[in-house]
Amino acid sequence: LAEREQRVVIAAATDFGTILAQRRVSQPSVILFRLPTSRRSDQRLRILLANLPTLEPHLAQGSIVVFSEGRLRVRSLPIGS
């Protein structure tokens, strides 16, 4: 559904990234939060919104974005291409 409707999946689990890598697809984009569980939803939202202008082009083309403590990684999809 996310792929068909050109949406971005936001998750805390890495399963989505693994599935996309195995399927070798370029959509949907996924944003993964690998932050301590002590981070509340509103804190995660602030982090996302602060970085969204930079991430939008990557998400539109198909990427996995990973937020971890003090780090932001962007990997283009499909993985391994």
Side-chain angles (χ1 to χ4, degrees):
L1 182 62
E3 181 179 7
R4 186 172 58 240
E5 294 184 1
Q6 297 181 332
R7 296 184 182 260
V8 175
V9 175
I10 300 175
T14 59
D15 297 356
F16 292 104
T18 301
I19 291 167
L20 291 174
Q22 290 173 345
R23 290 181 54 211
R24 295 186 181 267
V25 295
S26 60
Q27 292 289 335
S29 288
V30 175
I31 297 173
L32 297 174
F33 282 98
R34 288 187 174 170
L35 297 170
T37 55
S38 60
R39 291 274 181 135
R40 296 187 330 252
S41 296
D42 62 319
Q43 293 172 318
R44 292 171 190 241
L45 179 60
R46 276 197 297 274
I47 293 168
L48 175 60
L49 292 176
N51 289 280
L52 197 54
T54 303
L55 296 174
E56 281 183 301
H58 299 285
L59 296 170
Q61 289 186 330
S63 295
I64 298 175
V65 174
V66 181
F67 287 99
S68 54
E69 198 64 46
R71 188 171 175 197
L72 169 65
R73 291 181 294 147
V74 178
R75 182 117 188 235
S76 295
L77 292 172
I79 304 286
S81 62

